[in-house]
């Protein structure tokens, strides 16, 4: 099924046993864009047309549990191995053997795992403010990162996190998008669309189950990432230490790190043009 969007088209199909929704723009080498929490495909509203104009076929799915994609019940379906398998299967579903991957936040966590568990489908990898699992394990032992990650412990509780998010018409979503990114990075329309997506039946529970699954169904051992990798990091991240970018060379031999001073966790909204330039330049080097 396809329906016309603004500068993209909407599609859906059964991928890895779940029905996924995605948007697509452009033709050329495939680039799969994986969103973070609490966003959905719309996080890539700026990068989709930029990649299309640069000669790429850009595809941004709603990951399982989000927006218009299926929302399996329970925590196990949201184990990162399943999320990575979804992304790898989507590449093949789209008729390609390999693709470039771009991931932010949880999408970056998934992209790291795709590059480890399904290396055969990954051409080049772009990670935006998402920690490598081994580096993150190191940083979690520091008081600074432990404090920043305290919210994830709250997310382990049953029902309470969902209640907090629903309170006052999803006021927490608006508070985050008004207070952390640069002023104006998220418009009233953007925030309304996020609230609409989160309010879909089963979505909020599924989104928080990503965090529960990370504790209850942890990923396997990390492997060396062979794909050429670009890591873009907003240094003013309220959730992740910039030290998560230190030591990556040990686990990702072909890596380039670009730190962005004065940029928050929400890089795709804060500096969309700068991110587009970094990504397209890196992917054109393939």
């Amino acid at each position: 099924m396809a329906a016309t969007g603004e500068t993209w088209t909407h599609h859906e199909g059964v991928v890895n046993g779940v029905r996924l929704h995605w948007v697509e723009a452009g033709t050329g080498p495939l680039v799969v864009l994986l969103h973070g929490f609490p966003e959905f495909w719309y996080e890539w509203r700026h990068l989709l047309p930029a990649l299309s104009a640069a000669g790429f076929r850009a595809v941004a799915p709603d990951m399982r549990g989000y927006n218009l994609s299926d929302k399996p019940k329970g925590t196990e379906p949201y184990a990162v191995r399943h999320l990575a398998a979804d992304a790898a299967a989507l590449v093949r579903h789209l008729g390609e053997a390999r693709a470039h991957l771009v991931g932010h936040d949880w999408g970056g966590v998934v992209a790291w795992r795709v590059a480890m568990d399904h290396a055969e489908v990954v051409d080049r990898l772009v990670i935006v403010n998402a920690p490598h699992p081994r580096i993150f394990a190191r940083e979690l032992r520091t008081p600074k990162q432990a404090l920043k990650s305290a919210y994830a412990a709250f997310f382990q509780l049953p029902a309470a996190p969902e209640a907090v998010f629903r309170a006052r018409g999803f006021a927490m979503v608006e508070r985050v998008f008004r207070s952390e990114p640069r002023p104006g990075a998220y418009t009233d329309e953007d925030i309304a669309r996020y609230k609409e997506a989160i309010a879909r039946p089963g979505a909020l529970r599924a989104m928080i189950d990503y965090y529960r699954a990370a504790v209850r169904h942890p990923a396997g051992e990390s492997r060396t990432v062979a794909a050429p990798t670009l890591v873009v990091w907003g240094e003013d991240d309220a959730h992740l230490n910039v030290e998560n970018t230190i030591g990556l060379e040990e686990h990702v031999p072909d890596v380039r790190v670009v730190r962005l001073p004065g940029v928050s966790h929400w890089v795709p909204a804060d500096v969309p043009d700068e991110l587009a330039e970094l990504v397209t330049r890196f992917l054109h080097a393939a």
Side-chain angles (χ1 to χ4, degrees):
M1 183 275 289
T4 302
E6 295 173 78
T7 57
W8 40 69
T9 55
H10 291 252
H11 306 260
E12 64 177 34
V14 176
V15 178
N16 192 37
V18 295
R19 182 166 294 278
L20 297 182
H21 164 263
W22 64 89
V23 300
E24 182 171 339
T27 58
L30 178 62
V31 185
V32 175
L33 308 169
L34 301 176
H35 64 80
F37 173 94
E39 306 201 65
F40 62 109
W41 73 262
Y42 187 71
E43 172 175 14
W44 303 112
R45 59 196 176 277
H46 304 298
L47 193 53
L48 278 159
L51 286 170
S52 174
F56 293 98
R57 178 190 183 191
V59 171
D62 290 326
M63 295 198 294
R64 66 166 67 190
Y66 280 81
N67 192 39
L68 297 176
S69 289
D70 276 354
K71 301 163 183 64
K73 294 183 178 180
T75 58
E76 200 276 338
Y78 301 98
V80 71
R81 67 180 181 277
H82 297 312
L83 307 174
D86 287 352
L90 179 60
V91 172
R92 300 186 183 100
H93 183 89
L94 294 168
E96 301 292 343
R98 298 170 65 83
H100 304 302
L101 286 188
V102 179
H104 170 243
D105 186 75
W106 259 106
V109 172
V110 174
W112 279 125
R113 183 52 57 177
V114 177
M116 294 174 192
D117 293 354
H118 306 276
E120 72 282 357
V121 307
V122 181
D123 194 343
R124 292 193 157 220
L125 180 66
V126 179
I127 301 292
V128 184
N129 282 65
H132 183 281
R134 287 192 178 176
I135 303 294
F136 191 53
R138 180 197 73 200
E139 288 302 304
L140 273 175
R141 294 192 290 270
T142 69
K144 181 181 177 183
Q145 184 60 65
L147 181 61
K148 286 185 174 183
S149 298
Y151 73 93
F154 172 67
F155 281 1
Q156 302 306 312
L157 298 176
E162 287 89 335
V164 169
F165 264 86
R166 288 194 187 96
R168 301 186 305 279
F170 299 97
M172 178 175 284
V173 175
E174 183 158 2
R175 181 179 63 80
V176 168
F177 287 152
R178 297 291 191 200
S179 64
E180 293 183 10
R182 292 182 173 182
Y186 290 86
T187 67
D188 291 345
E189 179 186 354
D190 294 337
I191 292 171
R193 294 184 74 155
Y194 284 117
K195 288 183 177 181
E196 179 184 22
I198 294 169
R200 295 187 186 280
L204 181 56
R205 178 266 311 161
M207 293 160 60
I208 295 174
D209 277 346
Y210 275 52
Y211 291 89
R212 295 175 177 134
V215 173
R216 301 176 195 180
H217 314 285
E221 286 296 314
S222 296
R223 302 179 180 88
T224 298
V225 171
T229 301
L230 171 66
V231 174
V232 180
W233 203 273
E235 290 188 347
D236 287 0
D237 194 318
H239 309 279
L240 295 164
N241 291 349
V242 71
E243 288 82 4
N244 278 288
T245 62
I246 297 173
L248 281 168
E249 297 81 2
E250 180 181 351
H251 311 291
V252 192
D254 188 358
V255 64
R256 178 192 174 205
V257 178
V258 177
R259 297 180 182 176
L260 303 176
V263 178
S264 76
H265 176 78
W266 312 97
V267 177
D270 268 4
V271 286
D273 293 341
E274 186 172 358
L275 179 63
E277 183 178 355
L278 287 167
V279 171
T280 54
R281 187 188 310 142
F282 177 70
L283 298 186
H284 274 309

